[in-house]
Each structure stands twice: as C-alpha cells, then as structure tokens.
C-alpha cells in the first residue's frame, strides 16, 4: 500500500508538478529556445503579453468556444442519455455505437472533417454544390471555421457527457417517477421536477470537467484550423504554442500558458467553494 502511494506521488511529480513548475519558471525569463541562454525579466513577459490586444482576443475566443461547446454537449448529452435510458430493441448495441466518437483519436476526427469539407472533393462540398450553394469556403471564413471547430468538438466529446448522465439516471429511484405520475405530473413535469434535480450533482461535475478540458483544448483546433483564418479560432493554448514554438518567444509562450492555468485554477477554486468535497454548501 505504501509502495503504491509512493509510486503515485512520484508519477504525479514527474508528469504534472515538475512540468507546471518549469513552465512557470520559464515565464520569468526571456529566451529563444528551451536550451538557449535565458535572461531574467521578472514580470516583463506577463506585462508584455497582457498589453497585447491579441491576448485578450484569444482569451475571449477561448471563453466563447468553451461556453458554446459546453452548453451543446450538456443539452445533447442529457437528451441522448434520456433516449438511451428508454427500453427498446437493440439498446445495448445503440449504447455501444453512441460511445464510438469518443473512442476515436482526435487526429482521426480532424482528418475525417477535413476530408468531408475538402474544397474540391469533400462530400459536404459536393452536396452543397448540388443544392445550389456553390462550393463553400469552409476554412476560409472566420465564422464558418469556428462553427466547424465547435461541431467537431461537440460530436467528439458529447458521448462522454451522455455516458455520465446515463450512469446518473440509473441511480434515480423509479418510485419517484411513479409517485409523480400518480400525482398527475406529465412527462415534462417529471423531467423538470424529478430528473433534473437528481442530475444536478453530475451536472456540476460535468460542467467543471468540460470547462477545464474545452478551455485547454488544443489538438482539435490546431489540427483543423491552426488558429485561423485571421486568428479567428486562436485561443490561449494555440497562441501559447505558436508564441513558444513558431515565434521562438519561449518566455512569452510560458507566460500565456501560466495565465491560462491561473484562470482555470480560479475556476476550480470557485467551484469547490460552492460545491466542497464534504458535500456542504460552501457559500455563506
């Protein structure tokens, strides 16, 4: 037992704590690579980054992207979970297929969307042309590019939300629905006054997890748009990567990443203030 504890602590230190501390350390230096000579600048990188309009634009894009995808994932996840909770022929098979998008590697999802939306041979491009819409410039239009990223993200990660809510639905006592039905409550009233209150704890956990993951989501955006066009889909993780690895401003990229980490830390602290681990209401 003690050996397992030591191993878990060691893995946490090596894979999580040390990289985070090293990134924070880099944010106080100016260097052109991770191995070049570093110059101490203190808070200079933070002051420089915070004065850039591009930083606040990337921050607002990240907030917008997170809010839209989280709302859609929760709404669709609850709807799919309610459907999959109903008895019907082949339900185990449908439940298994519903998880499939979540099991696919992100690079596979990105390649599939790029193929479907290819400007010359994409399936959706051909359909749009046959319907008289011409050949849409899917990835050249800022609004369309953001829409594509949102759709790809929602399609990929809604199954996680669905599985979570489906598991929560299994814990709702059937007697509550029977009592509500006896009292004359219809389907909507049973959903609003029985299902939703019982799903609130899971909903809070899902919102927290999805907020962390979607605000930090890098791979799907980078693989689909690389933050373009015209930085329309460039949020803080993409901006930090571009700054550190393409513009050779390691200190600036580390500062952006640290600021992003600080935002998420505040979000987590607020969450645990209102929903502490002991189950008591933290708000006074």
């Amino acid at each position: 037992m003690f050996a397992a504890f030591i191993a878990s602590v060691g893995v946490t230190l090596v894979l999580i704590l040390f990289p985070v501390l090293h990134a924070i350390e880099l944010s106080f230096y100016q260097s052109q690579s991770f191995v070049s000579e570093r110059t101490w600048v203190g808070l200079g990188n933070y002051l420089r980054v915070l004065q850039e309009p591009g930083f606040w634009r990337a921050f607002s894009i990240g907030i917008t992207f997170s809010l839209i995808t989280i709302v859609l994932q929760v709404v669709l996840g609850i709807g799919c979970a309610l459907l999959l909770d109903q008895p019907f022929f082949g339900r185990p098979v449908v439940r298994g297929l519903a998880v499939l998008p979540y099991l696919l590697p992100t690079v596979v999802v990105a390649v599939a969307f790029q193929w479907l939306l290819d400007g010359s041979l994409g399936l959706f491009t051909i359909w749009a042309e046959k319907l008289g819409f011409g050949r849409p410039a899917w990835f050249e239009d800022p609004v369309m590019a953001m829409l594509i990223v949102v759709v790809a993200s929602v399609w990929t990660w809604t199954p996680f939300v669905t599985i979570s809510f489906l598991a929560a639905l299994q814990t709702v006592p059937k007697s509550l629905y029977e009592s509500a039905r006896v009292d004359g409550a219809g389907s909507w009233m049973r959903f609003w006054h029985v299902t939703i209150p019982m799903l609130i704890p899971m909903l809070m956990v899902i919102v927290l997890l999805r907020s962390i993951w979607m605000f930090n989501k890098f791979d799907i955006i980078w693989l689909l748009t690389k933050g373009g066009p015209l930085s329309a889909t460039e949020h803080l993780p993409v901006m930090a990567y571009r700054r550190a690895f393409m513009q050779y401003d390691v200190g600036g990229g580390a500062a952006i990443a640290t600021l992003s980490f600080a935002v998420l830390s505040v979000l987590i602290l607020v969450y645990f203030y209102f929903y502490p681990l002991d189950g008591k209401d933290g708000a006074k």
Side-chain angles (χ1 to χ4, degrees):
M1 190 67 164
F2 182 73
F5 171 76
I6 295 298
S8 62
V9 171
V11 171
T12 301
L13 290 175
V14 172
L15 298 181
I16 299 178
L17 186 59
F18 287 164
V20 170
L21 294 178
H22 184 55
I24 296 175
E25 179 190 10
L26 288 174
S27 68
F28 295 106
Y29 292 87
Q30 184 64 46
S31 62
Q32 295 183 345
S33 70
F34 290 94
V35 295
S36 62
E37 183 179 352
R38 297 183 296 180
T39 303
W40 172 264
V41 294
L43 297 176
N45 288 323
Y46 292 96
L47 296 176
R48 175 166 54 89
V49 166
L50 291 173
Q51 292 175 356
E52 296 178 3
F55 172 84
W56 296 106
R57 185 170 186 267
F59 179 76
S60 63
I61 289 175
I63 295 295
T64 303
F65 170 73
S66 301
L67 286 176
I68 294 175
T69 53
I70 291 170
V71 170
L72 290 177
Q73 288 176 47
V74 169
V75 172
L76 294 176
I78 292 178
C80 292
L82 291 173
L83 291 175
L84 294 176
D85 192 48
Q86 303 300 317
F88 58 86
F89 178 76
R91 184 173 65 173
V93 176
V94 176
R95 285 181 173 180
L97 294 176
V99 186
L100 184 60
Y102 186 66
L103 300 179
L104 295 176
T106 306
V107 65
V108 174
V109 176
V111 170
F113 271 83
Q114 287 176 337
W115 177 77
L116 291 172
L117 301 172
D118 182 83
S120 299
L121 302 175
L123 186 61
F124 290 165
T125 302
I126 295 175
W127 287 352
E129 188 175 24
K130 289 183 177 180
L131 291 174
F133 296 104
R135 291 180 177 265
W138 302 106
F139 293 101
E140 286 74 22
D141 181 77
V143 176
M144 187 64 68
M146 175 59 74
L147 180 61
I148 293 171
V149 171
V150 168
V151 170
S153 301
V154 172
W155 183 81
T156 305
W157 290 289
T158 295
F160 170 81
V161 181
T162 300
I163 295 171
S164 301
F165 282 123
L166 184 59
L169 286 173
Q170 310 308 307
T171 65
V172 180
K174 301 302 180 184
S175 58
L176 295 179
Y177 292 109
E178 296 174 358
S179 299
R181 189 178 292 105
V182 170
D183 291 338
S187 300
W188 172 251
M189 295 297 291
R190 292 197 300 271
F191 169 75
W192 189 251
H193 294 285
V194 178
T195 304
I196 291 297
M198 297 299 292
L199 293 180
I200 288 297
M202 178 59 70
L203 177 62
M204 294 298 101
V205 174
I206 289 297
V207 170
L208 174 66
L209 292 177
R210 297 317 305 169
S211 298
I212 295 173
W213 293 340
M214 299 314 299
F215 190 77
N216 272 333
K217 187 57 63 180
F218 168 82
D219 47 8
I220 190 69
I221 293 180
W222 182 258
L223 291 171
L224 283 174
T225 66
K226 289 183 171 54
L230 302 175
S231 301
T233 58
E234 182 181 77
H235 62 340
L236 292 184
V238 171
M239 185 181 187
Y241 177 85
R242 191 186 301 277
R243 183 69 61 89
F245 294 98
M246 302 182 70
Q247 299 177 4
Y248 305 106
D249 181 9
V250 175
I256 295 172
T258 303
L259 289 171
S260 180
F261 174 74
V263 171
L264 293 176
S265 298
V266 171
L267 174 64
I268 294 173
L269 290 175
V270 171
Y271 173 87
F272 283 116
Y273 175 75
F274 287 101
Y275 301 96
L277 294 177
D278 57 8
K280 299 178 181 179
D281 188 0
K284 303 298 183 182

